[in-house]
Structure formats: structure tokens, C-alpha cells
Amino acid sequence: MEKILETAKHQINMLLEEKNFVIVAIDGKCTSGKTTLASQLAEIYDCNVFHMDDFFLRPEQRTPERFAEVGGNVDYERFNEEVLIPLNAGQAFSYRPFDCSTFSLADSIFVTPKKLNIVEGTYSHHPHFGNPYDLKILLTVDENTQRQRILERPAFLHKRFFEEWIPMENRYFRGFDIPDRCDILV
């Protein structure tokens, strides 16, 4: 992870020297280190971090048609409207993260754009967003390591990871050629 962090810092530092406003997206397979990398960068920089996990589908969106859609396992429309559009406009905004424990939207989080803003999570490179990012990072992990890391998570989630989430992620990565669309592939 140290090499990934150093590579990301180098690219971010170059961008921060050139621009007054930078948005970085960290996409990747589950358990590849996206959240860890975003947390490490947040410790180094005064930045906002947005999590794609806060944009899981609401109950009314969970339809067979939506789940059949490549990249449809996230509320990309709401993320774009509530976060990316105002963020790119440099405007203060609020959004309501999805609460997995209640299957509803939680209280609003108020945000003021900072010089560095990080979007972390699978589906963050979704083509629905166009090209709003200054730097796109993609993290991968081999199947054995991924499996071991998933088995360290709560047991009630294992089946969903293996039978639902990983197949949908893999379809998204292949269907939209995500590895070919990133700036840093690790």
C-alpha cells in the first residue's frame, strides 16, 4: 500500500501545483484498498472524501431491470446530482448518505468544496458521470487475496459478496472498460 500511496501523492501534488481545484476518483474491486487509500490521503491533505457506498440503491430502485444494468448497483444519478455537479461548480452542497441498517437516507451532510476532493468506491468511474475527475485511480486485487479478505468480514455478508457484489463489479469493470479509462492502475 505504501507504493500506491506514494504514486498517488506524487500525482496529486503535481495536480495541486497546476490547479486550484482537484477531484480524484479511486475505483476498484472490493477489498482492494480503496477506503484505506482514501483515508491515508485524507490524513495527509485537507480534503473531502465521498464514499460511493453512501449511494447504494434505495429500496424502490432495487428492481431486476436495475440489477441487470451494467454499473446499476449504485445510485449514480443521485451521486451525480447531489455531489458531482455542485462539487464541480465549486458550490457548497449537502447530500444524504444511504444507511444500510435502515435502508433509508440518513441526515444530510453539508459540504464545502476544498482544493482536493476524493471520491472513493466501486462505480466511481461510471461513464454516466462523463469525465469530472482530474485523476482516476483503479485498484485491483487477485482472487485469492480478495477471498481471504472477504472471509475476514462479517459472515452474514460472505454470500452477497461472492454471489452478487463481485459478479456485478466484474461486469462493470469489463462492460465499461474501466481499466483502460484510468490514469493509475495498481
Side-chain angles (χ1 to χ4, degrees):
M1 184 58 77
E2 189 63 34
K3 184 177 179 185
I4 299 166
L5 179 62
E6 290 305 313
T7 301
K9 280 174 35 183
H10 175 73
Q11 292 295 319
I12 290 169
N13 289 339
M14 287 186 354
L15 286 166
L16 290 172
E17 287 179 19
E18 298 170 9
K19 303 180 80 168
N20 291 324
F21 182 77
V22 174
I23 305 176
V24 174
I26 305 170
D27 204 327
K29 293 183 174 188
C30 59
T31 77
S32 62
K34 301 175 302 295
T35 305
T36 300
L37 178 59
S39 296
Q40 290 174 336
L41 291 169
E43 289 178 16
I44 296 166
Y45 300 96
D46 177 24
C47 65
N48 291 312
V49 177
F50 304 97
H51 304 280
M52 292 304 296
D53 285 354
D54 288 341
F55 294 87
F56 281 143
L57 295 175
R58 291 165 288 166
E60 66 272 16
Q61 294 173 299
R62 295 169 180 260
T63 64
E65 295 81 16
R66 183 61 181 243
F67 286 125
E69 181 184 318
V70 175
N73 194 33
V74 67
D75 193 345
Y76 55 81
E77 301 95 340
R78 188 167 72 84
F79 180 74
N80 194 44
E81 290 295 318
E82 292 184 12
V83 177
L84 282 180
I85 290 173
L87 182 63
N88 273 293
Q91 301 170 340
F93 61 93
S94 67
Y95 68 94
R96 296 178 65 195
F98 183 79
D99 182 339
C100 291
S101 65
T102 64
F103 268 71
S104 64
L105 298 180
D107 292 337
S108 293
I109 294 175
F110 295 91
V111 179
T112 300
K114 295 187 176 184
K115 185 168 182 165
L116 176 62
N117 302 274
I118 298 173
V119 176
E120 171 275 320
T122 306
Y123 306 106
S124 62
H125 294 181
H126 198 292
H128 177 80
F129 306 138
N131 192 19
Y133 306 121
D134 300 290
L135 179 64
K136 293 189 288 187
I137 301 170
L138 180 65
L139 303 181
T140 61
V141 63
D142 67 83
E143 288 182 22
N144 289 332
T145 302
Q146 184 181 51
R147 181 173 186 73
Q148 290 171 351
R149 290 175 179 172
I150 288 169
L151 294 176
E152 293 171 3
R153 293 183 179 194
F156 74 93
L157 293 174
H158 295 170
K159 183 176 180 178
R160 296 204 67 196
F161 270 109
F162 295 123
E163 295 180 10
E164 293 176 55
W165 297 329
I166 291 173
M168 283 191 271
E169 288 178 0
N170 289 336
R171 200 171 44 153
Y172 156 76
F173 295 126
R174 283 189 312 270
F176 291 130
D177 298 318
I178 299 300
D180 293 334
R181 300 167 53 119
C182 64
D183 302 306
I184 300 173
L185 172 62
V186 182

